[in-house]
Amino acid sequence: MGIAPSTPGTGALRRMRAARDTMDRDWAEPLDVAAVAARAGYSRYHFVRLFNEVYGETPGAYLARRRIERAQDLLRTANLTVTEICMLVGFTSLGTFCTRFKRQTGMTPTEFRRHARTPGASSIPGCFVLLWAGGFRADRGCAIIEKPARPAASYGDA
């Protein structure tokens, strides 16, 4: 008789689920595998190995897949450019985004949009999507909604 392969315990599964939930919640933010691993209570290398064992893919592959899925939703419904969608879902390189998108879906983002949009259906205005997703926040290097407040001028100022 051989030795049965070890399976992660309930505590490890809970920590993996918490890490995956973190990636699902913060998918558009720059995520560091080491930080997510630390949140789960593991070293980076042990976390990657255990995540792969539990979910069948690495944390990086999981996050990229979830970002592409979100991009598919935006390509179907939003009036945004491919570049805007690329940045909005958390990719920093348009080339990497397009390559991974094609690998996952079998077509480029533009081809996907052409095939996925329902004829005659109106799309969500891009400004609304950006506002909803926080795309107008100053800390993202994007436009801000209001001009910064200027101090009120006193009578002595010219």
Side-chain angles (χ1 to χ4, degrees):
M1 279 206 261
I3 298 174
S6 65
T7 56
T10 306
L13 292 175
R14 256 191 231 122
R15 291 192 302 236
M16 287 294 105
R17 177 60 190 223
R20 194 176 79 172
D21 288 347
T22 297
M23 288 188 281
D24 284 339
R25 183 183 57 248
D26 300 332
W27 53 266
E29 301 298 323
L31 286 175
D32 180 13
V33 174
V36 176
R39 267 189 141 164
Y42 294 108
S43 72
R44 177 182 184 194
Y45 301 104
H46 186 66
F47 173 71
V48 170
R49 184 189 60 72
L50 191 57
F51 192 95
N52 193 18
E53 181 181 330
V54 170
Y55 295 111
E57 61 187 336
T58 65
Y62 175 79
L63 186 59
R65 182 174 57 79
R66 297 292 290 158
R67 287 174 171 169
I68 295 296
E69 289 168 359
R70 182 64 182 132
Q72 287 176 295
D73 289 339
L74 291 171
L75 287 164
R76 276 187 207 100
T77 60
N79 186 19
L80 294 168
T81 67
V82 172
T83 303
E84 288 170 328
I85 291 172
C86 164
M87 299 301 166
L88 198 58
V89 298
F91 283 93
T92 55
S93 164
L94 182 60
T96 300
F97 170 71
C98 291
T99 300
R100 289 193 180 179
F101 192 96
K102 187 167 185 172
R103 187 180 316 141
Q104 185 170 324
T105 65
M107 56 184 88
T108 67
T110 304
E111 292 168 339
F112 180 86
R113 172 180 274 161
R114 199 173 341 164
H115 288 94
R117 283 236 172 125
T118 307
S122 59
S123 58
I124 301 168
C127 59
F128 179 78
V129 175
L130 287 173
L131 182 63
W132 175 79
F136 288 106
R137 292 192 340 228
D139 63 337
R140 285 191 174 190
C142 298
I144 55 175
I145 296 174
E146 297 180 36
K147 291 182 182 178
R150 296 172 87 180
S154 63
Y155 284 108
D157 294 340

